Amino acid sequence: MTQKRCLLIGVPVQEGSGRLGCDMGPSAFRTAGLATELAGLGYEVEDRGNLAPARQRALKHENPAVKALPETVAWTEAIAEAAFAASGEGIPIFLGGDHSLSAGSITGLARRAAEQGREFFVLWLDSHPDFHTLETTTSGHLHGVPMAYATGRPGFDGYFPKVSHPVKPDHVCMMGIRSVDPAERAALAPSGVTIHDMRAIDENGVGPLLDAFLKRVAMADGILHVSLDVDFLDPGIAPGVGTTVPGGATFREAHLIMEMLHDSGLVRSLDLVELNPFLDERGRTALLMVDLASSLMGRRVLDRPTQSYRHTPK
């Protein structure tokens, strides 16, 4: 990290998940001490409070399964503008809120990177690829569409804001994937997105897989955004989420990823999403997510230096 200013942006969106509780996520992250941890690492921390959605428009999609479309679009508009603005001032950390917030954060950040003439990359840490379109979703919950939208898949025009700078699919790396719908599987196969499911992690370990992606970002002189979903983690250590999928990342795997990301010096923004304090156990998941964010920003689990994975282009 070269920037030393962190901007905390609360995004109490829960309409994308179809389950109440994610709107309490930003408060839980604050209560768990995120600002204090970052300040202790030497960052200037500015908490910008919680966003409010833009004005809703009357929207209805021909897919009858789609839920809360006007609300999700209004949130996306507000988040994208906030992301673009904040990314010019420091390191924005978006406190969710369900994963639909990434439709706004990623598109706003990609616009900023394009303005700076930089390549933009996304590390997607999640059990789901969230690669549905408005046509393909069967649940209708729009936390399942942000990566499809941000990468410019068709079917969003006339509903969501036009994406000025779609993320190149081959600039996306997904890790921890273990729940994929058939329509997503069919769309991902030819897309160019790098996918490391839990089998790949079991067979290879998170280190080599992430290292290869970080080298690609560094060689492109790229800007990296990290989107961390609670359900990337095994529900045994992170129960506070409404979309639990067994077999997720362990405590040690998750912290290794965060430390490698810090050592790379490439990360410029972060999403922390899908925390549902109503489902948590005495703040256990919130505290773990704050620990992980702190590791990404420079805190070490062990009181000794770890191997450096910083990548410097030749």
Side-chain angles (χ1 to χ4, degrees), residues 4 15 21 25 31 57 98-99 103 112 134 139 150 185 201 221 270 294 299 301:
K4 295 297 288 185
E15 288 83 357
T31 302
R57 295 179 287 123
D98 68 62
H99 221 157
R112 172 65 66 184
L134 297 178
S139 72
R185 189 182 304 275
I201 290 175
D221 190 26
L270 173 66
S294 300
R299 195 181 75 184
V301 175

Side-chain angles (χ1 to χ4, degrees), residues 122-124 126-131 169-170 172-180 184-201 204 209 213 216:
V122 178
L123 177 64
W124 187 261
D126 196 340
S127 67
H128 308 88
D130 294 349
F131 214 64
D170 63 352
V172 177
C173 178
M174 298 182 173
M175 296 188 72
I177 301 297
R178 57 194 187 277
S179 178
V180 185
E184 292 177 300
R185 189 182 304 275
L188 283 165
S191 71
V193 173
T194 298
I195 302 175
H196 300 308
D197 61 10
M198 289 308 298
R199 174 172 176 171
I201 290 175
N204 300 282
L209 299 177
F213 179 62
R216 288 176 48 208

